[in-house]
Amino acid sequence: MHRIVKVNRKGPGRPSQRAHDSSFPKPSPSSTASRPRGSPRSRARPPPMPKQRLLIKGGRVVNDDQSVEADVYVEEGVVQEVGPNLNPKPPSGLTVLDATNKLVIPGGIDTHTHLQFPFMGTTTKDDFYTGTKAAVAGGTTMIIDFAIPQKGCSLIEAFDKWKGWADPKVCCDYALHVAVTWWSDKVKEEMKSLVQDKGVNSFKMFMAYKDLYMLSDEELYAALSYCKELGTIAQVHAENGELISQNAKKLLAMGITGPEGHALSHSEDVEAEATHRAIAIANTVNCPLFVVHVMSKSSARMITNARNEGKVVYGEPIAAGLGTDGTNYWNEDWAHAAAHVMSPPLSSDPSTPDFLMNLLANDDLSVVGTDNCTFDTCQKALGKDDFTKIPNGLNGVEDRMSVVWEKGVYSGKMDENRFVAVTSTNAAKIFNLYPKKGRIAVGSDADIVIWDPEATRTISAKTHHQANNFNVFEGMVCHGVPVATISRGKVVYHDGVFNVTAGQGKYVSRPPFPPYVYERVKQREEVCQPIPVKREPYAGVVSATPSAPR
Ligand code: URP
Ligand code: ZN
Ligand code: ZN
């Protein structure tokens, strides 16, 4: 059994590290109560704040490129040393975690969440507190959520609003993608300012949700061109919104009102067509493309082919798409079927999760998100008579890491290093957080998970930490359990016990031009421009310009 060991021998002026953990009583800022009477006030300096120090002993440190048996020493939230038999001095005030027979991995980065999202007439159950608390319980130490303005509204105001919601509540670090839901010169100006002043380096464009968020091809062309100019990542929700709308009308007219109508109206073609179109537009303007929530074989094949052709495209499957499937839409229990409604839908072909996992293992797909966007049964019931009104979204932020371990590593498709790549490192590289995030190395943020590959847990809504009443992975037994989660050097979760404070997470700025993505893009810009063919001017006869008919 993994144990936390506290070395609490106090040295002079060094109270135990516990004393300044947020959930434990803080040392009083001024020590007047204990100051001897008559002693001069100016000499009674408050004792220096003790350093937050943590040693993780005896584990195997797993990065995306190698695994080594090593201890990890952390001070003030930053990794100071990685090596064998570390023995940092002094021993007082040091928290020691025993990781014998465990893996020590970079904290997970969930590239796709919607916490506290006002959507389809309601707001998601999980807010930035419950959502990030559940995240750390599952071994995720950073989320990237989406600020989504209504059409015609300010992107900066949306960003500020989402940040205002997140800052007082987050229990781990976070960042924000921003959605471009309309197009104008003002949108362009605001995108620039978000990049330069607010640390945003990714924008999501919707090809679905007609009349709500959807962009036309002309707007997509303009938005992707500008994303490239700014050095950002263009993300697309790839579904053909016009086809969905026509399909839905037809199905409702046929009397199909239940959740199976959602799956039928969002057919695989609808996703594949939009994925292909997005890749074509992105490639035309030399913009790196990140296809969010890749749900079908056809869409994944489009991405695989594009990557094989050398295009700068990344695909993000989600935990639910790897762990369950769309046969659930035909469940006779309406609430069960509705709980799985999301867009694009889970694939109705039950062999799809395995297919997507193979592509993820082989680097055809790049990172795993969740699209965590939770609604309870009463909220889903807004669409009880019309599947188009069922709020779209499901859970994943807590279970993502375990689902990927179970279906990816335990199944033998990927090794522990690829697991780290797809759950953390690749996201950090693509969104320019690396190597502060996504790696355990000297100088990196101490976002670390002690992972027990042998332990198992059974996922259930009865025991999960998310706010909704349904879990799409209900009953799944997963090997791979986070024993302890460390966020910026603080043990925030350990053996089922939380030590989190709302608002302790930080907003993380992401500079533009991530080298992992843009080195190639910039080089192409320089060397892949079309050049005119040198030829002698045409010297022959030119036909007379036809005159206008009389
Ligand atoms: O069903 C989904 N995906 N809900 C959240 C909104 C989005 O498209 O990501
Ligand atoms: Zn989407
Ligand atoms: Zn989403």
Side-chain angles (χ1 to χ4, degrees):
M1 190 64 177
H2 170 82
R3 282 184 308 113
I4 186 166
V5 183
K6 289 274 179 193
V7 181
N8 264 348
R9 277 164 286 154
K10 286 187 189 173
R14 280 193 180 272
S16 90
Q17 186 268 341
R18 257 187 113 132
H20 80 140
D21 269 354
S22 49
S23 60
F24 299 105
K26 288 194 173 72
S28 100
S30 133
S31 48
T32 41
S34 57
R35 182 157 40 95
R37 276 168 184 264
S39 64
R41 187 175 268 274
S42 58
R43 281 200 208 135
R45 288 222 183 105
M49 279 298 279
K51 276 191 179 157
Q52 195 190 38
R53 299 163 68 234
L54 172 71
L55 179 65
I56 303 169
K57 270 208 93 56
R60 182 159 77 239
V61 175
V62 182
N63 279 311
D64 67 321
D65 54 354
Q66 62 171 0
S67 304
V68 288
E69 308 294 326
D71 300 344
V72 180
Y73 176 59
V74 174
E75 252 182 38
E76 298 298 320
V78 176
V79 175
Q80 305 293 327
E81 245 183 302
V82 180
N85 306 316
L86 298 183
N87 197 11
K89 296 280 187 303
S92 60
L94 183 66
T95 300
V96 182
L97 289 174
D98 176 10
T100 308
N101 297 327
K102 311 285 188 301
L103 308 182
V104 180
I105 61 175
I109 301 173
D110 186 341
T111 47
H112 192 148
T113 65
H114 302 277
L115 303 176
Q116 214 164 321
F117 179 28
F119 185 47
M120 295 184 76
T122 185
T123 299
T124 55
K125 279 307 270 187
D126 279 300
D127 66 7
F128 281 96
Y129 179 69
T130 61
T132 53
K133 192 174 165 192
V136 300
T140 287
T141 52
M142 179 165 179
I143 58 149
I144 316 185
D145 207 270
F146 292 81
I148 307 185
Q150 298 299 315
K151 273 189 192 290
C153 293
S154 159
L155 278 65
I156 292 178
E157 277 172 28
F159 173 89
D160 289 340
K161 193 196 284 181
W162 256 264
K163 192 163 181 296
W165 289 335
D167 280 335
K169 291 190 181 172
V170 280
C171 302
C172 66
D173 285 1
Y174 79 102
L176 291 169
H177 311 290
V178 176
V180 174
T181 54
W182 59 296
W183 192 249
S184 73
D185 286 344
K186 177 165 185 258
V187 171
K188 275 183 86 167
E189 263 167 47
E190 292 205 335
M191 285 171 74
K192 189 172 187 182
S193 142
L194 284 163
V195 172
Q196 291 178 348
D197 311 326
K198 309 269 188 180
V200 172
N201 73 9
S202 48
F203 293 97
K204 178 174 177 181
M205 276 62 67
F206 290 89
M207 301 169 84
Y209 303 115
K210 190 184 167 198
D211 302 328
L212 182 64
Y213 301 141
M214 187 170 112
L215 296 184
S216 68
D217 282 2
E218 188 181 359
E219 291 169 325
L220 277 172
Y221 183 93
L224 266 61
S225 304
Y226 200 51
C227 278
K228 188 336 256 332
E229 205 175 313
L230 291 172
T232 60
I233 308 296
Q235 300 173 290
V236 283
H237 176 131
E239 284 188 294
N240 183 320
E242 184 57 47
L243 280 185
I244 293 167
S245 159
Q246 298 300 338
N247 288 344
K249 274 189 226 158
K250 212 189 283 178
L251 288 156
L252 287 169
M254 289 163 70
I256 298 176
T257 60
E260 69 281 13
H262 178 78
L264 293 167
S265 58
H266 293 243
S267 62
E268 187 151 338
D269 263 5
V270 159
E271 190 187 353
E273 185 281 325
T275 306
H276 187 260
R277 185 157 38 102
I279 291 169
I281 296 172
N283 194 53
T284 304
V285 300
N286 194 21
C287 177
L289 184 72
F290 185 95
V291 184
V292 301
H293 45 45
V294 177
M295 303 301 284
S296 65
K297 287 184 181 176
S298 312
S299 173
R301 281 196 195 102
M302 301 279 174
I303 293 163
T304 302
N305 291 344
R307 287 172 69 84
N308 287 343
E309 287 160 7
K311 293 171 183 156
V312 187
V313 180
Y314 306 94
E316 171 206 66
I318 64 166
L322 298 167
T324 184
D325 65 59
T327 55
N328 289 289
Y329 298 123
W330 277 264
N331 193 292
E332 285 179 6
D333 175 1
W334 184 91
H336 178 102
H340 293 80
V341 167
M342 66 160 296
S343 295
L346 297 164
S347 170
S348 300
D349 169 355
S351 65
T352 299
D354 205 46
F355 182 88
L356 295 177
M357 187 56 88
N358 286 334
L359 295 193
L360 187 67
N362 295 330
D363 203 30
D364 293 314
L365 298 172
S366 303
V367 301
V368 183
T370 58
D371 204 1
N372 189 95
C373 185
T374 51
F375 301 102
D376 67 15
T377 308
C378 299
Q379 293 173 300
K380 291 275 181 181
L382 289 166
K384 69 184 174 50
D385 302 316
D386 176 349
F387 63 81
T388 65
K389 297 193 169 66
I390 301 172
N392 285 202
L394 40 69
N395 64 287
V397 74
E398 181 167 356
D399 301 318
R400 180 182 71 111
M401 303 280 281
S402 288
V403 168
V404 177
W405 188 275
E406 178 67 20
K407 303 285 180 184
V409 184
Y410 187 73
S411 70
K413 291 182 193 296
M414 62 174 75
D415 62 17
E416 61 194 23
N417 307 100
R418 181 69 191 161
F419 172 77
V420 165
V422 301
T423 56
S424 181
T425 312
N426 289 356
K429 288 179 178 173
I430 292 169
F431 294 109
N432 220 359
L433 301 160
Y434 188 82
K436 268 197 134 6
K437 307 286 189 194
R439 185 160 193 87
I440 299 177
V442 174
S444 295
D445 286 351
D447 285 358
I448 297 172
V449 174
I450 300 179
W451 187 261
D452 187 343
E454 304 297 334
T456 60
R457 70 186 184 97
T458 305
I459 299 177
S460 174
K462 292 193 186 76
T463 49
H464 72 196
H465 301 93
Q466 301 209 219
N468 64 320
N469 66 338
F470 194 94
N471 191 312
V472 296
F473 309 112
E474 186 71 36
M476 188 190 289
V477 179
C478 287
H479 293 80
V481 172
V483 177
T485 304
I486 295 139
S487 168
R488 284 188 187 262
K490 179 182 170 188
V491 184
V492 287
Y493 176 83
H494 186 244
D495 275 342
V497 179
F498 289 99
N499 180 22
V500 291
T501 313
Q504 74 183 32
K506 288 196 168 72
Y507 173 75
V508 184
S509 281
R510 297 172 295 134
F513 296 104
Y516 180 71
V517 176
Y518 266 89
E519 285 301 310
R520 288 198 288 158
V521 173
K522 281 189 208 155
Q523 185 66 13
R524 276 155 208 234
E525 195 71 5
E526 268 176 39
V527 302
C528 298
Q529 294 297 345
I531 41 168
V533 176
K534 282 200 184 123
R535 46 168 86 87
E536 290 302 313
Y538 175 75
V541 179
V542 179
S543 101
T545 314
S547 50
R550 289 193 193 155

